[in-house]
Structures are given as structure tokens and as C-alpha cells.
Amino acid sequence: MSSPHAYVQRQSISSAVQYALLIALIVQIPLASVADKTHKLFIVGFIFLHILALSALRLAHSIGIRNLLLCITYASFIVLSGALWQGDYLAHWFLPVGIVIAVFLFRLQSPLLLLCVVVLFNALFLHAEYQWIQWRADVDESYLKSKGYLNALLMSSCCTFIGVFIRWHLSQFWRAIQSESASRKSALNRVLPECFQAPLPSTQQPKPQHYSPVSVLFFDMRGYTEFAANRDSLAQIQMLDAVYRRFDEICAMYGIERIKTNGDQYIAAAGVPLTYTIEHNNDYSPAVAICLAARQMEVEFRAIANRFGFDSLSRIGIASGKVIAGIIGLFKPCYDLWGLPMLLASRLESNCVAGHINICETTYLSINQQLHCELVGRMELQGLGTRVVYSLTLDR
């Protein structure tokens, strides 16, 4: 795929050549009056045919032959000019120059079309030059035809070589742009879902979007403050990196998006746009997917924490409902969620017994036919009043 920069460049060159040809053709109409009267109407009609061809370039663009038609029209115009002026001004010498123009018109994926255009321009030029050399030799006996042939071959070869040289350099330039664009796209895909990326180059803020049903998970490590106080920063980072890498893998298995991390807190959601491609989609509902992931996270966390000498248990809160996803702020765009499930999952996690998974009533109603849960009871949650809380049974 060619880069947007290369596409805009080709379109600008195409338009410039189109308008230049239109102006040249219109100028040829009054000049046709100096031609032989028996051919004047034919020439004027031929010029109008060229104008119609150029006017049809927008239609040709829709079927992918705009630049090919432009090159054919250019070659035909040069041949027409040569016939109009009967070779007096060597108009056909502009044909090999068209090779250089054609290099800028065609994409990197169209080498065959470009090759056809180069062959067409060279063939027309060499044929026209051959006819002119024959006429010149008939008029002037001292004229050396071999010299004319050599000049024609040199002109054709030089323009072809220049075209190949320019195309090679442009291909290197365009490929570098494509590689950089792909790298930036890949990096951006790891941060933001595609639906929030388009407005970012402009000052327009991406529009927040509603999603439902969504299940949100808040994960927290018991005793992390004490662990961090007695270990150097590198040990903390290594432990967190090992845990969160494994959590990311688990989330990818179930089609869950990691929203963010905050120290020892890991926040994820199911049912929202993803920043990665799932190789194997699953048929789980968001609530079931995030509960299965939560059970696996709890087991994996204990194993990894023990490996780093961190004797800890997790606290997990899960809530389901409707959320708003979007990006706010001026710098460092961050994909985040807002809504009652975010607040409820946070409160359920902070009020959770270590080693357990608290879920809200909405989540329970979504999973109770597939996963076993136990009623914890009614719990007072800060800012949210009294809520019915269930505990997801863990597979030990």
C-alpha cells in the first residue's frame, strides 16, 4: 500500500499534467488554422477528442486507469502536434521527456503499466524520429543519417535511464515512509482502538462511545506496599512486569482489553473495542469471559508472586453494565472507561476478602447458569449505597 504522502503527490502531478495538456490543446485550436485546409476540421475534431479524454479522467480514476489514460493522451497530443506542424518544431522530442513524468504518476505496485508506457513513448519517439531523419536526408544529401540515429538512441536511453534512476530513489523514499507509517500505526494500535485513532492528527477530540453490556475487572495485590518498601525498584518492576505480561496473555485469550494499570492495580474490560487482533475468537459473553479470566489471573498471580518471594493474595472486583469509552485531555491520549460498572468494580475490589473475587448482582445474573457463585450478602459500598454482592467460586 502506498503512503498517503505518495498518493497526494501522484494526484498533484496528475492534475498538473492534465491542466497543462488542456491549456496546450486549447491553444492548438487557433493554431490549427495555419495547417493545410483539407485537414483543419480533422485536426480541430482530434483536439476536441483529446479534451474529452482529459475531461473523462475523473471517471477513469474510479476504474483505476486515470494515469494510463493521461499518458496515452499525452503521447497522442505530441504525435498530433508533430503532424500539425509537419515536423518543423520536432514536437516528438517531448515523448521521451514524458517517461520522466510517467515515473511520478504510477504507484510502486504498477511496474507493468509503467513499463508499457515507457515502451510506448520510446517506440513512438524512435518511429517519429526515423521518419524525420529520412525526410531530412532526402532534402539535404550532406546530412548523416547515422548521426541522427545515434542522437535519437541517446535521447531515448538517457530519458529511460533518468526515469529508472528517479523511480529507484522514489521507491526507497516511499518504502521508508511506509515502514515508518506502519511502525507508528503498530505502536498506536497498542495504545488505542482503531475507532478512536482517526481524529487524533487534527485538533478534533474523538467522540466518546457507549458500549453495553460490558464487564469490568479491578485487580489489586494485598501487601504490595510492604513488598515495595523492602525491595529495590528493579525487583518491583520485574515482578509487576511478569504478572502483567501474563495477565495480558490471559486477556487476549478471552477477548478482553486491558484498560490501564496503576501501581499494583490492573483494570480490564470485556465488551469494548480492542487494541489487538484476536487470532481465535471465543463465544463467551463479556461477563463469562471476564470471570473465567479472573479465576485464571488469581491462580497465575499466586504462582508468579511466590517466585519473586512475594507472599500475597489478590483482591478482584467485577461489575457489569453500560460504560462510555473515550479519550480525554490534551497530551498523552489514554483510552479509558467511565460509568457505574467502573465505580462498582472498584468498590467491590476494595471491600473484597483477599483471595476472593467479588461480583455484582448484574454479573451474577449473567453467569449463574455457567459458573458457580456464592451469595456474600448485602454490602455497604462507599458512595453507592447498599448492594447485593456475590463471590465467584475459584477452581483450586
Side-chain angles (χ1 to χ4, degrees), residues 291-312:
C291 286
L292 290 174
R295 293 202 307 190
Q296 194 169 343
M297 286 178 179
E298 202 279 335
V299 175
E300 295 287 345
F301 168 68
R302 283 188 283 110
I304 297 173
N306 288 334
R307 200 168 72 231
F308 282 88
F310 181 26
D311 185 15
S312 176

Side-chain angles (χ1 to χ4, degrees), residues 2 4 6-15 18 52-71 73 105-107 110 113:
S2 60
Y7 174 79
V8 172
Q9 186 182 49
R10 288 196 310 275
Q11 288 299 100
S12 300
I13 295 171
S14 296
S15 299
Q18 175 186 352
L52 288 176
L54 289 173
S55 301
L57 283 179
R58 290 196 177 276
L59 176 62
H61 174 66
S62 64
I63 58 177
I65 61 170
R66 171 190 171 93
N67 291 330
L68 180 62
L69 180 60
L70 188 59
C71 289
T73 307
L105 295 180
F106 289 96
R107 296 175 301 200
S110 305
L113 283 178

Side-chain angles (χ1 to χ4, degrees), residues 317-338:
I318 297 175
S320 302
K322 183 178 181 180
V323 302
I324 298 177
I327 301 169
I328 59 174
L330 181 61
F331 302 114
K332 295 184 179 179
C334 180
Y335 174 45
D336 208 345
L337 305 180
W338 297 268

Side-chain angles (χ1 to χ4, degrees), residues 169-220:
H169 274 278
L170 286 178
S171 69
Q172 298 299 311
F173 173 69
W174 287 337
R175 287 193 178 99
I177 290 179
Q178 291 169 6
S179 177
E180 182 180 356
S181 177
S183 298
R184 291 184 177 182
K185 178 68 173 176
S186 177
L188 191 57
N189 284 341
R190 292 175 176 266
V191 179
L192 299 174
E194 191 169 356
C195 59
F196 291 107
Q197 293 178 16
L200 287 181
S202 67
T203 57
Q204 181 184 357
Q205 189 76 339
K207 184 179 180 180
Q209 299 184 25
H210 295 264
Y211 295 98
S212 180
V214 172
S215 292
V216 179
L217 174 148
F218 273 65
F219 173 97
D220 187 70

Side-chain angles (χ1 to χ4, degrees), residues 147-271:
K147 181 180 178 181
Y149 295 149
L150 179 61
N151 286 338
L153 289 174
L154 284 175
M155 180 65 176
S156 176
S157 301
C158 285
C159 287
T160 302
F161 173 78
I162 291 172
V164 171
F165 182 77
I166 292 175
R167 180 175 173 81
W168 182 81
H169 274 278
L170 286 178
S171 69
Q172 298 299 311
F173 173 69
W174 287 337
R175 287 193 178 99
I177 290 179
Q178 291 169 6
S179 177
E180 182 180 356
S181 177
S183 298
R184 291 184 177 182
K185 178 68 173 176
S186 177
L188 191 57
N189 284 341
R190 292 175 176 266
V191 179
L192 299 174
E194 191 169 356
C195 59
F196 291 107
Q197 293 178 16
L200 287 181
S202 67
T203 57
Q204 181 184 357
Q205 189 76 339
K207 184 179 180 180
Q209 299 184 25
H210 295 264
Y211 295 98
S212 180
V214 172
S215 292
V216 179
L217 174 148
F218 273 65
F219 173 97
D220 187 70
M221 307 175 189
R222 187 199 66 180
Y224 176 78
T225 302
E226 291 77 10
F227 171 79
N230 296 301
R231 299 295 180 93
D232 59 56
S233 299
L234 181 59
Q236 300 172 41
I237 293 173
Q238 290 174 339
M239 191 275 290
L240 290 174
D241 181 62
V243 172
Y244 292 164
R245 278 177 179 269
R246 183 56 186 147
F247 283 8
D248 287 345
E249 292 173 352
I250 295 171
C251 286
M253 289 170 53
Y254 293 100
I256 298 170
E257 175 68 17
R258 182 182 81 176
I259 303 303
K260 60 184 175 183
T261 62
N262 182 20
D264 63 328
Q265 189 177 61
Y266 185 96
I267 304 173

Side-chain angles (χ1 to χ4, degrees), residues 359-373:
I359 64 174
C360 71
E361 187 174 18
T362 304
T363 304
Y364 168 76
L365 294 175
S366 300
I367 69 169
N368 66 337
Q369 299 297 322
Q370 297 170 268
L371 301 174
H372 185 261
C373 304

